[in-house]
Amino acid sequence: MQFQQLQYFVAVAETRHFTRAAERVHVAQPSLSQQIKALERELGADLFLRARGNITLTDAGEALLPLARRILADADTARHEVQELVQLRRGRVRLGATPSLCTGLLPDVLRAFHDRYPGIQLLIEEGGSHDLVRELARGALDLALVVLPLPTPAPALTTVELLREDLVVVSSPEAPVPGRGGRAVEIGDLEGERLVMFRHGYDLRELTVAACRSAGFEPDFAVEGGEMDAVLGFVRAGLGVAVVPRMVAARAGRGLRVTPLARPGLHRTIALAHRSDVAPPRAARELQRMLLER
């Protein structure tokens, strides 16, 4: 008894027509008929009653059909399981993240993932949450780290909260301490500061500007339009101060003074997102697990 014969048998049993069954399994009808006859010889029993225009199962065919379906289903399961294992040896994960998360959160997690699965290629796309949501929706990314709330309603996405992160003020050690020179900075104290500001579309830009306006003033930009590395470099050069995530400030190294924001401060919520209608590949799910357990 051959696996292919069982496929042909189930196709005929379900279509009750040899020609349509042959079309379903992409084989010539005479070849399918020959394989069914060979299966009947192997089993020593007819499986179909062949009347003109009417194909029905015999008692033997009725007995074989659920067993054949189970064998084919088990084979599909086995194939799927093996493919899942293979995906962890080779393949790719397409991950989107905001630039600040690429600087702060991802390096350690990606290093651990690469050490465990060296055959998986990691493709990272940096962008704001709005751009990443769009890329997820069109299938260009498997996962994305985004800032909540999402910039636009995204019912086709599933999000899982990952962390809530404090924002801090960074400045050059050679410049005066921002604000009133205390251990913490009030949002209102930034009214007298020149800010180094991110480009449009950056989640941190929108959050900082909104906080300043809630405190009753428009922020004054010394420089604007940079990415994370550029903003930190401008601050080191003494061009102004910037509001950045605490993880980024901790990784930025020397040349920066870090001052916390006074309570209630500013925070951002990071979530891991993927499409609701398509399960991420096995390798992407493994990276997702490592991010959630970090």
Side-chain angles (χ1 to χ4, degrees), residues 202-256:
Y202 235 71
D203 303 287
L204 289 169
R205 178 192 180 104
E206 323 238 333
L207 188 58
T208 304
V209 170
C212 293
R213 288 173 177 168
S214 294
F217 69 95
E218 282 292 321
D220 180 17
F221 300 154
V223 184
E224 63 173 317
E227 301 282 348
M228 180 59 69
D229 288 343
V231 165
L232 295 175
F234 296 152
V235 171
R236 286 191 186 94
L239 290 172
V241 304
V243 177
V244 302
R246 185 181 293 277
M247 277 192 298
V248 171
R251 282 185 166 271
R254 302 169 121 190
L256 287 175

Side-chain angles (χ1 to χ4, degrees), residues 87-111:
Q87 285 182 24
L88 293 177
R89 297 194 188 100
R90 62 178 181 269
R92 68 177 185 180
V93 177
R94 302 169 301 170
L95 175 66
T98 63
S100 59
L101 291 171
C102 288
T103 302
L105 172 67
L106 284 182
D108 290 341
V109 176
L110 294 185
R111 180 183 61 189

Side-chain angles (χ1 to χ4, degrees), residues 128-134 146-154 201 203 206:
S129 293
H130 180 81
D131 294 335
L132 297 178
V133 166
R134 185 180 65 247
V146 296
V147 178
L148 296 181
L150 293 176
T152 55
D203 303 287
E206 323 238 333

Side-chain angles (χ1 to χ4, degrees), residues 108-147:
D108 290 341
V109 176
L110 294 185
R111 180 183 61 189
F113 182 85
H114 180 71
D115 289 346
R116 186 174 299 180
Y117 306 110
I120 302 295
Q121 181 185 16
L122 294 166
L123 301 177
I124 308 300
E125 178 167 333
E126 290 187 273
S129 293
H130 180 81
D131 294 335
L132 297 178
V133 166
R134 185 180 65 247
E135 293 300 285
L136 273 175
R138 75 180 187 90
L141 296 173
D142 301 312
L143 301 170
L145 290 163
V146 296
V147 178

Side-chain angles (χ1 to χ4, degrees), residues 140-279:
L141 296 173
D142 301 312
L143 301 170
L145 290 163
V146 296
V147 178
L148 296 181
L150 293 176
T152 55
L157 297 183
T158 297
T159 58
V160 180
E161 187 172 318
L162 196 62
L163 61 95
R164 190 167 183 263
E165 184 180 19
D166 294 337
L167 303 184
V168 297
V169 177
V170 292
S171 57
S172 168
E174 299 174 3
V177 177
R180 301 172 190 173
R183 294 186 176 180
V185 179
E186 300 279 350
I187 294 295
D189 293 336
L190 297 179
E191 185 175 7
E193 299 286 347
R194 305 291 307 282
L195 296 182
V196 177
M197 184 50 65
F198 301 97
R199 63 171 172 80
H200 285 281
Y202 235 71
D203 303 287
L204 289 169
R205 178 192 180 104
E206 323 238 333
L207 188 58
T208 304
V209 170
C212 293
R213 288 173 177 168
S214 294
F217 69 95
E218 282 292 321
D220 180 17
F221 300 154
V223 184
E224 63 173 317
E227 301 282 348
M228 180 59 69
D229 288 343
V231 165
L232 295 175
F234 296 152
V235 171
R236 286 191 186 94
L239 290 172
V241 304
V243 177
V244 302
R246 185 181 293 277
M247 277 192 298
V248 171
R251 282 185 166 271
R254 302 169 121 190
L256 287 175
R257 176 197 295 121
V258 179
T259 308
L261 285 163
R263 292 183 178 180
L266 287 179
H267 317 275
R268 66 174 186 169
T269 301
I270 306 301
L272 194 56
H274 63 82
R275 286 177 57 176
S276 303
D277 58 338
V278 179

